[in-house]
Amino acid sequence: SLDAVMSLRGPYGFVFNEECTPGIVVKESEVFGVGNRFPDEFTVWPAGVTVESCRGSGKDARIQLRMATGASLQANRLYIIRVGNVTNPLNTPESNRWTLEIGTEFTGESSEPIEGMSLWAFMQTKITAIVTARDQTLAGEVRVMNPVRYIFRPFNTVPMDGELRSTAPDGFIFANLATRECHVELRELPYTALGVQYPGYVWPSEKLVCLVEEGDASRANVKLRDPRPVTAGLEYELILVAYNARVVSETRADWILSSFLPGSFPLDESRIPGFIVNQVMDFKYSNPDPSDRSQEVQNGAAQLPEFVLSMQFPDPIRDGDRIVIIVPEDFVFTDAAGACLNYRVECNKDELIAGADCPVILQNRPTCNAAEKTITFLVSQTTPVPQETLIMFGLGAVNPARTMDLPENFWRCTHYGPPRVVPPDRGFRWRENALEATLPIYSSKAFRSWDIIPQLENVQVDLVDGLMSAGSISGVTLSFTAVTDAEDVAIMFSSPEQFDFSDAVLDPAVPAQSLMLDTGGPLARVRTQVRAGQTTSITLRNVRLGMEGGQTLVRLTTWTGGLLIGGSWEPGTKMDERLDCAEQCSFFLPGLVDISYERLENQYHQNSDAYPVQSRWEAQMGRPAQIVFRFHVTQAVKVGQELWIYGKPYQPTLSTFALSEAPPVSTEAALFDDPDARAVSYALKDVLDQTIKVTMQQTLVPYTVYEVRISVIAPTPQQAEASGPTSWTIETWDYPYGDKPTNTNDGNTRAFPIVEEYAFRVESFLTPPITDIEVSLHVTAGLKKPTALIVVAPLQFVIERSCLVSGAGIVTDCNPSTPMPNGRMTARLDVIDTGLPLNPPPIVIRVSTPRRAPLDKAWFIEGRDKFSDAQYGWGEAEGLDIEQMSETTAMYPGIPGLYTRMVWHFKSQVLIEAGGWLHVMIPEGFDPDCTLKAIALPLTGGCNIIDPQNIIITLNSTMVPGEYAFAMGITPPALEPLRNELSLILKNKAGNVLDAAVGMPGLDIQSSLKIAELPLRWSQSKALRSSMITLGFEAVEPLPDLVVAPEQQVSEILIILPVGFVHLVGELNDFAVLNDEDMPFKEGDWLDFLQKDRLRITLDLNRSSWTTLKTGKYEFRFPVLVPSPLPAFNVWHMALCQPNYPEGCNQITDPAVLVVYPMPGFEIGEVYVGPGADDLGGTAGAAGPQTMVSSPLLWLP
C-alpha cells in the first residue's frame, strides 16, 4: 500500500503533454465511454488507488499513484488505464512498441514490449524526383516538368470515387492545363500473399481524374473512377507532375498525401519529406535528320546519326568531380563491348579555324553503363574547367521503339562534387545509384526527350493466293502490332515500281475493314480498328504486283482523325509507322520468268520427215517426250544460283537437258548462228521429286531469251487423272534456299495436251496386193471414251466411201477423211455418243491394198471427241504384210529383138472357180504373143492380149491352191524399160483380185548379147529311166569384147535340171560338146558335175588373147535319170554368167548370172519332134517349140 510510480514509454514520434493529468481515466464507467463496463477479463480499478499526477516528457509519461491504507493493485490481475493528452506522430513508427513500468520505493516490475497501434497514416512513404534543379526563370526558357513519385502503403482502403490529395511544398506547383487538369499515374506494385504472386495493377488514365484546386496549383486532387480500390497494406506508386520551386533550398520540404472516402471523409494522411532543390545548369541536345535538318530523327528504333549533347555548368569543374547523364530507359547508346557508341568530341564548327579539331575540354572519355543507363565523366585534371564553359559531345544513340511514359522520358545531367565526410540529406532522385546518392550536387538539369514516332512492331508483309511473280495479280497480307490506337492503315509499296491497288479488294472474312477513297496505284488505305498491343491483320487481293521483282520496300503508317473534305480524304494525325520495311519484315518479290515459247514434243517431233504421222499428234501418256521452253528472267540469275524446272507428275530424265540462248528469229541472223556459242554453262545437280535442278555456272542476264530442252516421261493415265491438268514451273533459287524463288513463272504455262496410248492391232485373213480386203481393228481405248476414231492407213492403201463392214454396234459409219500430208489415206469412224467402251469387239473396215507393202507398214488410230474435236489418244499397229503370191517368178532371157519364152512359176493359196482369169502384166516395149505352154495349169479358155502390157488367160476349170507354171512367147525390147516390172494377178469371175504378185522386177536387157536358146531335146521320156538330154544356144552374133561391153562378158555356163532330175555324168567323157572345136574352155577342169542337179562349164573368153565365141550353135549333151512323178515346175534352165565373181555361178539367182534361158521340160511318154530329132543320142521321138504333141498339158494358140 505504498505510493507507486507508473512510467509509460511510447514509440518515437509520440509526444505527451507536459501536464497530462487531465487525460488520465481509470473509472469503469468512463474508460470506454459513459455506461460501458469492462470486459470480464479485466479488474475494476481499486477505490483506494488514485492518480495523483501525470507529467509528460516527449514520448514518456510519469504517473504518480496514491495508495490508501490497505489498498493495492493485486498481482495477476488485469487493469485498464486510459492516458490522454498525447500527440500522434505523422506516421506509424517503424518500431511501434510501448513499455510500462510500475514500482514503489522498494520494489518494481516492467512489462514485455507492447505492440502499438497503427495510425491512420500512410506507411513506408517515399518521395522520388526526376528533376531536383530549381525551375529556370530566364525569359524564353521552357519550364521543366518534374514527375514526382509517391511510394506509400495506405492504412485504410480507398474505394471507388474516393480521393487521393497532395499538397506540394512552398514554391512548387502541379503542372496543369487551363482546365486545371493535371497528369496522374497510379500503380499497384506487385506483391505476394499466402505464397501467391500477384502482378499488381495499373489504373487506366480514363479511370483517374486529376484536378488542381482552383486558385492554388500546389494542391492536386485525384479521384478514383475505377471499381478497383486502393487496398490497405499494399504498396502503391502515385506520379504527379510538378514544376520545382524557383529558388535553391537548404532542407527537404514535406509533401502532404491524404486519402478520403467518397464525400470527403478523411482517412489517412502523411507528411513525406521531399528533396533539396539544387542549382540549375544548362543541358541541351541536337538531333537533326540529315535528310531534312529542320526535322528531328523521331522514328522508333532509328539510329541518331548526328546526335549531340551540350552542357554548361554554373560552377567550375574540378578534379574529383563527376558528371553523370542518366539516359531514358529504352535508348541504346553502347556498342557490343559496352563502350559508348560512336563517342566524339563536338563543338561549334563555325568558330573553329579551318582544318582544326574541336578542343578536348574533359580529358577523360566517359564510361557508359548500359545496365544503369548512365554516361559518366570522372573528372581527373589539375586545371579546373571554368564555369559556363560549353562542353559538347556526340553519341551514336538509337531511339526507343516508342515514346516512353512521361516519368521515364527525361535526359538528366548532374554535376556531383567529391564525397563528404557526412553525406548530405538531400532526398531521393530517380535512378540514382547508391554511391551518387551520397555525393553533393552542385547543379543539375533535365530535358524531356523528343516524342518517338512509334514503329509498328512484329511487322510481316507477305504474299497470299499462290501467285508471286513480278507483275502478276495476287494477294498481299500484312500483320503488325500497333503501339498506339488508330483508325486506318496506309500501305505504300515504294519498290519495286508499279504495284497497283486500284482493283484491290479486302478479305470478305473481315467485314469491319473497308478501303478508303485514296486507295489506288501503290497506295492502299484501309479503315480498320487498330488497338495498341494487339495484332492487326489485313489481306488485300487482286493486287497487281510490282514489275521486275526484287526486295520490296513497304511503308506502313497508322492514322486517326481523318476526314472526308471536298470529296478527298484528309488522313488526320499519324500515329505509328514503319518506313522502308525491307528484308526484316517484307518479302522478296520473285522476278518473272516470262515464257515466250512452250512446246511438249513426243519422241517423233524431232524427226517429222521420218515420222510424218506420229509427229502430228500429241505426246502419249507414260511415253518419253521432250519439253521446250523459251523464256527470259527479270532478276539476274547469278553464278551459284539454281534453276529448277518441274511439272509434276512428269518425270524428268537425264537423257536430254540443254540450256542455251534462244536461236535467232530472223532468217538473216540464222545464217550466221553458232549453237555452240549460244550454250549456257551449268552443272546438273539432281533430279529428285520430279524436279530437275541445275547450278548455274554462267549468269542468266535479265531480258535475254533462253531456251531449255528437257527429256521427260509423260504421266501415266492414272497419274494424269489424279493430278488433273499439269502446268510447268520454272524457278530460280538462291542457296541457301529462302521461302521464295528469285524468279518464277508461277506455274503459268498451258497444260500440255497429253493423250493416252491405245493398244491397237490390225488383222486380215488375206492381204494380196491391189485388192479389197477386210481389216479387223482391235482398239483398246483408255480412261476417256472417244466418240470418233480416225484410222490412218499405210501409204498406197486406198479407203473408199462406206468402208464400214462391221461396227460391232459401236461404230455407226466409216468414210474417207482428210489425207495426211504425206499422202496416207485416213478414215473417220463415227462412234456412238456414249463413246468407245474399254474392250470393244473388233471393228471391220474395207480397204484396197497397194501393189506391194510400203516401207512403213504401220497403221495408226486416233481417238477424238466428235463434239469438241479434242484428241483423247492414239495408237500404232505393226501393220500388214502385202502377201505376194508365193514363189512367183517370171524367167526369160533379156536378149533384145530375139523371140523367146517367158516362163511363169507361182504357188497360189486361193481357189479360183472356172470363169476366173490370170492377168499378166509385162513392161512397156515387150512384144507378147499368145503362144502359151501350160506347163502346170488347169484347162484354159485361151489367151487374150488386151494391149502389149496386159495379157488375159481365162480359166475354164477351177484352180485349187497349189503350184503352177506356164510359158508364153515374148520378144524383149532393144532398151530396158523405165519401169521394168512384171505382175501376175489372179482374179475371180467377178474381177476381184484373190491372189497376186505385182511389181516384180524384170530381168536386165543385155543389149550387147545376141544369143538365142536352142530346143531342148531328149532321147526318151520314161519314168525312172535314163535319157540323153541335148540343149544349147546359138550365137547369132559373136560375143562383144571387153572394150565394147565389159559388163556383158561370159565366163561360165550353168545348166539347172528340174527338181527330181539328176544327171548321170560321172566323168568328162559322159558330157559331150557337139561343136567343141569352137568353144574356148578353161584349161584343166572346165566341167563341174559334182552336184547332181546342175552342171557348170567354165570358159576362157577374152583373156590372154582376143578369143571369143563365134557365130554358130553350141550344144551340150549328157545323160539324166527321169524322175517319177515329174515336178510341177518342169523347166530346165541354162544361164550364161559373167566373170569377176569369186563364187562363180551356182544358181540362176546368183549375181554373176547375165542371161537365163528357161526351157519347158517334157512329159512322161512325150517324144521329141523337131529340129535335130535325128540326132538325140539315143531313141528319140519328135517334139519341138513349134510343134504340139498329144499331152495332158497342151500348147494353146
Side-chain angles (χ1 to χ4, degrees):
S1 54
L2 297 176
D3 292 343
V5 175
M6 182 183 294
S7 295
L8 181 63
R9 292 184 176 86
Y12 284 104
F14 284 86
V15 178
F16 288 93
N17 290 348
E18 186 176 352
E19 174 54 50
C20 52
T21 305
I24 302 297
V25 178
V26 294
K27 290 182 179 181
E28 182 181 19
S29 61
E30 296 180 5
V31 170
F32 292 117
V34 177
N36 293 317
R37 298 181 65 83
F38 289 169
D40 292 342
E41 64 265 28
F42 293 102
T43 301
V44 176
W45 194 271
V49 180
T50 59
V51 176
E52 187 175 86
S53 66
C54 175
R55 295 290 182 267
S57 177
K59 63 183 182 65
D60 298 334
R62 180 183 175 86
I63 303 170
Q64 184 70 43
L65 300 179
R66 176 66 62 186
M67 305 287 185
T69 301
S72 65
L73 296 176
Q74 300 295 314
N76 299 318
R77 300 288 183 93
L78 286 176
Y79 295 96
I80 295 178
I81 182 172
R82 189 177 79 187
V83 181
N85 294 327
V86 62
T87 303
N88 289 338
L90 294 176
N91 300 296
T92 299
E94 290 186 9
S95 178
N96 191 19
R97 291 185 176 182
W98 297 71
T99 61
L100 180 65
E101 296 177 3
I102 188 169
T104 65
E105 182 179 357
F106 303 103
T107 62
E109 58 184 308
S110 175
S111 70
E112 293 288 339
I114 303 168
E115 195 68 36
M117 72 287 193
S118 294
L119 303 177
W120 279 26
F122 296 101
M123 300 172 287
Q124 301 178 11
T125 56
K126 181 180 180 180
I127 291 287
T128 303
I130 294 289
V131 181
T132 59
R134 68 176 178 83
D135 197 18
Q136 286 182 301
T137 57
L138 297 175
E141 288 289 344
V142 177
R143 303 185 73 179
V144 178
M145 291 186 293
N146 181 16
V148 178
R149 282 178 164 83
Y150 300 72
I151 302 296
F152 62 94
R153 288 180 185 270
F155 182 76
N156 291 288
T157 297
V158 184
M160 179 179 176
D161 291 328
E163 292 184 15
L164 296 174
R165 300 177 185 176
S166 180
T167 302
D170 288 345
F172 289 80
I173 63 171
F174 291 104
N176 62 95
L177 302 176
T179 57
R180 298 192 290 120
E181 292 179 67
C182 48
H183 180 90
V184 62
E185 297 180 23
L186 179 62
R187 296 180 182 87
E188 178 185 277
L189 301 182
Y191 64 96
T192 301
L194 300 177
V196 178
Q197 292 185 341
Y198 295 90
Y201 182 72
V202 177
W203 267 256
S205 59
E206 65 270 16
K207 298 297 184 179
L208 296 172
V209 178
C210 179
L211 295 172
V212 299
E213 288 193 8
E214 189 172 359
D216 186 0
S218 67
R219 296 174 180 270
N221 300 332
V222 179
K223 193 159 192 175
L224 308 179
R225 295 294 192 187
D226 196 299
R228 188 183 185 95
V230 174
T231 304
L234 300 182
E235 188 173 26
Y236 291 86
E237 177 186 69
L238 173 69
I239 299 177
L240 296 171
V241 178
Y243 291 121
N244 286 352
R246 297 180 183 270
V247 295
V248 174
S249 65
E250 298 294 333
T251 59
R252 300 168 63 186
D254 289 341
W255 298 69
I256 299 175
L257 181 64
S258 308
S259 62
F260 294 84
L261 290 172
S264 297
F265 184 86
L267 293 174
D268 301 341
E269 180 174 289
S270 292
R271 288 178 174 270
I272 308 172
F275 49 89
I276 292 176
V277 179
N278 55 255
Q279 188 59 268
V280 66
M281 57 171 284
D282 194 16
F283 180 45
K284 298 179 180 178
Y285 76 93
S286 174
N287 176 27
D289 186 343
S291 62
D292 182 1
R293 304 191 72 81
S294 66
Q295 300 295 319
E296 292 186 339
V297 179
Q298 294 180 269
N299 294 336
Q303 293 276 352
L304 308 183
E306 298 184 17
F307 179 60
V308 174
L309 290 171
S310 61
M311 307 175 291
Q312 286 179 286
F313 301 94
D315 301 289
I317 302 172
R318 296 182 174 87
D319 186 51
D321 289 353
R322 69 173 59 196
I323 299 168
V324 179
I325 298 171
I326 295 181
V327 180
E329 187 72 29
D330 293 341
F331 278 85
V332 176
F333 60 98
T334 58
D335 58 21
C340 296
L341 184 64
N342 298 332
Y343 172 79
R344 61 197 181 277
V345 175
E346 293 283 354
C347 62
N348 189 343
K349 303 293 196 303
D350 296 337
E351 298 177 358
L352 285 178
I353 300 174
D357 294 330
C358 291
V360 178
I361 299 172
L362 298 176
Q363 300 301 318
N364 290 347
R365 292 171 62 92
T367 58
C368 290
N369 189 320
E372 294 186 356
K373 296 293 183 179
T374 58
I375 304 168
T376 303
F377 292 88
L378 297 178
V379 181
S380 177
Q381 53 196 66
T382 56
T383 304
V385 178
Q387 63 189 47
E388 303 301 337
T389 300
L390 179 61
I391 302 173
M392 301 173 64
F393 68 92
L395 204 63
V398 178
N399 276 340
R402 63 182 67 80
T403 301
M404 290 175 287
D405 293 338
L406 178 64
E408 310 287 341
N409 198 25
F410 285 86
W411 294 71
R412 186 174 73 199
C413 180
T414 304
H415 178 194
Y416 292 99
R420 295 179 180 177
V421 176
V422 178
D425 180 18
R426 51 179 173 76
F428 300 99
R429 288 157 50 90
W430 181 247
R431 288 177 51 200
E432 188 172 48
N433 65 32
L435 172 62
E436 291 160 0
T438 65
L439 300 177
I441 297 175
Y442 293 156
S443 62
S444 66
K445 177 72 180 289
F447 62 78
R448 184 179 176 185
S449 188
W450 51 92
D451 287 337
I452 299 298
I453 300 175
Q455 300 298 287
L456 297 168
E457 299 175 345
N458 305 319
V459 176
Q460 288 298 322
V461 184
D462 211 340
L463 293 169
V464 292
D465 297 341
L467 299 182
M468 61 178 119
S469 62
S472 61
I473 303 295
S474 189
V476 174
T477 182
L478 60 97
S479 62
F480 59 85
T481 303
V483 179
T484 51
D485 292 350
E487 297 171 343
D488 63 79
V489 181
I491 307 157
M492 170 71 79
F493 278 82
S494 56
S495 181
E497 296 181 351
Q498 299 185 38
F499 266 85
D500 192 352
F501 290 93
S502 298
D503 298 322
V505 294
L506 286 163
D507 189 343
V510 189
Q513 295 179 345
S514 61
L515 284 168
M516 309 298 287
L517 291 176
D518 53 349
T519 294
L523 170 68
R525 187 181 299 276
V526 179
R527 189 77 167 177
T528 187
Q529 189 178 63
V530 178
R531 287 288 176 257
Q534 298 180 9
T535 299
T536 299
S537 298
I538 297 172
T539 298
L540 290 156
R541 290 188 164 84
N542 208 35
V543 178
R544 171 74 67 181
L545 304 182
M547 304 304 291
E548 295 191 352
Q551 180 58 51
T552 54
L553 295 179
V554 185
R555 178 168 296 186
L556 302 178
T557 50
T558 62
W559 302 78
T560 189
L563 293 172
L564 184 63
I565 300 176
S568 62
W569 182 258
E570 295 296 330
T573 302
K574 182 166 64 175
M575 305 305 292
D576 299 347
E577 68 181 11
R578 185 64 181 270
L579 305 181
D580 295 334
C581 179
E583 294 93 341
Q584 69 275 21
C585 55
S586 189
F587 59 93
F588 180 92
L589 177 61
L592 173 64
V593 177
D594 190 2
I595 297 176
S596 55
Y597 176 86
E598 55 191 9
R599 186 180 182 190
L600 174 65
E601 298 179 346
N602 61 31
Q603 62 264 47
Y604 309 108
H605 285 144
Q606 289 295 303
N607 193 353
S608 58
D609 291 339
Y611 303 101
V613 178
Q614 301 98 312
S615 62
R616 291 177 56 83
W617 289 340
E618 305 297 350
Q620 290 176 313
M621 299 177 184
R623 286 289 188 175
Q626 284 192 7
I627 304 283
V628 182
F629 294 110
R630 291 180 188 167
F631 66 92
H632 73 258
V633 296
T634 59
Q635 289 286 303
V637 183
K638 300 175 183 178
V639 174
Q641 293 182 337
E642 297 178 7
L643 173 66
W644 294 10
I645 304 175
Y646 57 91
K648 301 175 184 179
Y650 284 83
Q651 177 59 59
T653 67
L654 297 178
S655 60
T656 300
F657 183 88
L659 178 62
S660 66
E661 292 186 18
V665 177
S666 69
T667 304
E668 181 178 354
L671 296 175
F672 305 97
D673 180 39
D674 182 2
D676 292 337
R678 291 191 283 104
V680 174
S681 181
Y682 63 88
L684 184 64
K685 183 177 181 182
D686 57 54
V687 181
L688 299 175
D689 191 29
Q690 299 175 316
T691 302
I692 190 163
K693 301 177 183 178
V694 297
T695 302
M696 299 309 305
Q697 296 176 336
Q698 180 178 332
T699 297
L700 297 184
V701 180
Y703 296 101
T704 297
V705 180
Y706 296 92
E707 180 179 272
V708 63
R709 184 177 292 273
I710 314 157
S711 58
V712 298
I713 301 296
T716 63
Q718 293 75 18
Q719 290 174 323
E721 184 179 42
S723 66
T726 299
S727 60
W728 279 79
T729 300
I730 301 180
E731 296 174 338
T732 62
W733 288 84
D734 200 0
Y735 188 85
Y737 309 130
D739 63 339
K740 293 181 181 63
T742 58
N743 291 277
T744 183
N745 72 322
D746 288 323
N748 187 22
T749 65
R750 66 186 179 94
F752 295 119
I754 53 173
V755 297
E756 298 184 65
E757 181 180 11
Y758 291 170
F760 179 45
R761 60 187 175 89
V762 295
E763 292 180 342
S764 182
F765 177 69
L766 288 175
T767 56
I770 57 173
T771 188
D772 291 344
I773 63 172
E774 293 181 357
V775 178
S776 296
L777 309 177
H778 300 263
V779 186
T780 301
L783 299 175
K784 290 185 175 182
K785 297 180 178 181
T787 53
L789 297 173
I790 307 297
V791 178
V792 181
L795 281 172
Q796 300 177 11
F797 278 76
V798 178
I799 302 174
E800 301 290 347
R801 292 185 61 81
S802 301
C803 48
L804 183 64
V805 176
S806 171
I810 299 166
V811 176
T812 59
D813 198 6
C814 172
N815 281 293
S817 186
T818 305
M820 288 285 170
N822 67 334
R824 283 176 177 253
M825 290 198 71
T826 67
R828 179 184 176 92
L829 281 64
D830 289 330
V831 181
I832 56 177
D833 290 348
T834 55
L836 192 71
L838 184 60
N839 292 299
I843 300 162
V844 183
I845 65 171
R846 183 181 298 105
V847 300
S848 297
T849 58
R851 295 167 60 85
R852 63 177 66 87
L855 293 177
D856 184 0
K857 297 182 293 184
W859 288 64
F860 300 92
I861 195 162
E862 178 189 14
R864 288 189 171 273
D865 176 35
K866 64 185 176 183
F867 303 105
S868 65
D869 203 37
Q871 188 184 56
Y872 284 173
W874 60 275
E876 179 179 355
E878 289 185 358
L880 305 170
D881 284 325
I882 298 301
E883 297 176 353
Q884 302 284 346
M885 195 159 44
S886 178
E887 298 183 25
T888 301
T889 60
M891 196 63 66
Y892 58 92
I895 306 299
L898 296 183
Y899 179 81
T900 185
R901 295 185 185 89
M902 177 181 286
V903 175
W904 288 88
H905 173 233
F906 62 96
K907 288 184 179 179
S908 177
Q909 299 179 357
V910 298
L911 182 145
I912 302 178
E913 296 178 347
W917 67 84
L918 279 61
H919 183 176
V920 180
M921 302 174 69
I922 60 177
E924 185 178 1
F926 279 77
D927 183 14
D929 69 17
C930 277
T931 304
L932 190 65
K933 169 68 173 177
I935 300 171
L937 197 68
L939 186 66
T940 70
C943 168
N944 181 22
I945 299 176
I946 305 301
D947 58 50
Q949 281 75 53
N950 295 279
I951 301 97
I952 301 299
I953 299 173
T954 306
L955 298 177
N956 284 346
S957 60
T958 298
M959 187 171 74
V960 298
E963 184 178 11
Y964 297 95
F966 67 91
M968 55 180 288
I970 60 166
T971 301
L975 299 175
E976 186 168 315
L978 293 176
R979 186 172 180 178
N980 192 16
E981 293 181 348
L982 302 99
S983 299
L984 179 62
I985 303 170
L986 278 59
K987 298 185 178 182
N988 62 16
K989 60 185 178 181
N992 297 323
V993 176
L994 300 185
D995 209 348
V998 299
M1000 297 186 303
L1003 300 177
D1004 294 337
I1005 300 299
Q1006 306 296 336
S1007 59
S1008 298
L1009 296 181
K1010 294 294 183 180
I1011 297 176
E1013 82 269 23
L1014 294 176
L1016 172 72
R1017 295 180 286 161
W1018 60 94
S1019 61
Q1020 66 173 350
S1021 58
K1022 293 181 179 179
L1024 303 178
R1025 299 294 180 91
S1026 65
S1027 177
M1028 192 65 69
I1029 300 297
T1030 304
L1031 53 79
F1033 58 86
E1034 179 182 2
V1036 180
E1037 295 179 359
L1039 262 64
D1041 58 31
L1042 281 171
V1043 176
V1044 174
E1047 302 297 329
Q1048 299 184 25
Q1049 299 300 306
V1050 177
S1051 64
E1052 191 173 350
I1053 300 170
L1054 173 67
I1055 299 171
I1056 301 293
L1057 281 61
V1059 175
F1061 283 83
V1062 294
H1063 67 76
L1064 302 177
V1065 178
E1067 58 183 23
L1068 190 61
N1069 291 332
D1070 295 334
F1071 186 85
V1073 179
L1074 301 186
N1075 50 349
D1076 60 348
E1077 69 277 4
D1078 295 324
M1079 181 72 71
F1081 295 111
K1082 176 184 175 182
E1083 293 183 5
D1085 296 333
W1086 54 268
L1087 179 65
D1088 180 0
F1089 51 83
L1090 295 180
Q1091 295 174 275
K1092 307 310 288 183
D1093 62 345
R1094 69 199 63 201
L1095 294 163
R1096 296 174 65 184
I1097 304 165
T1098 306
L1099 305 179
D1100 189 14
L1101 298 176
N1102 294 330
R1103 293 299 176 191
S1104 59
S1105 63
W1106 292 98
T1107 304
T1108 185
L1109 285 176
K1110 299 177 182 179
T1111 302
K1113 296 181 179 181
Y1114 300 90
E1115 290 186 296
F1116 312 102
R1117 181 171 291 167
F1118 53 90
V1120 300
L1121 179 65
V1122 178
S1124 178
L1126 293 176
F1129 187 45
N1130 187 11
V1131 177
W1132 298 71
H1133 293 87
M1134 179 180 63
L1136 303 182
C1137 305
Q1138 58 187 329
N1140 302 323
Y1141 287 89
E1143 299 299 324
C1145 202
N1146 194 49
Q1147 54 190 9
I1148 61 175
T1149 57
D1150 283 345
V1153 174
L1154 277 173
V1155 177
V1156 177
Y1157 296 92
M1159 304 173 189
F1162 52 86
E1163 296 295 329
I1164 298 297
E1166 181 181 358
V1167 177
Y1168 174 74
V1169 177
D1174 54 349
D1175 182 15
L1176 299 177
T1179 304
Q1186 292 82 21
T1187 306
M1188 292 184 291
V1189 296
S1190 177
S1191 170
L1193 298 176
L1194 303 177
W1195 287 91
L1196 298 176

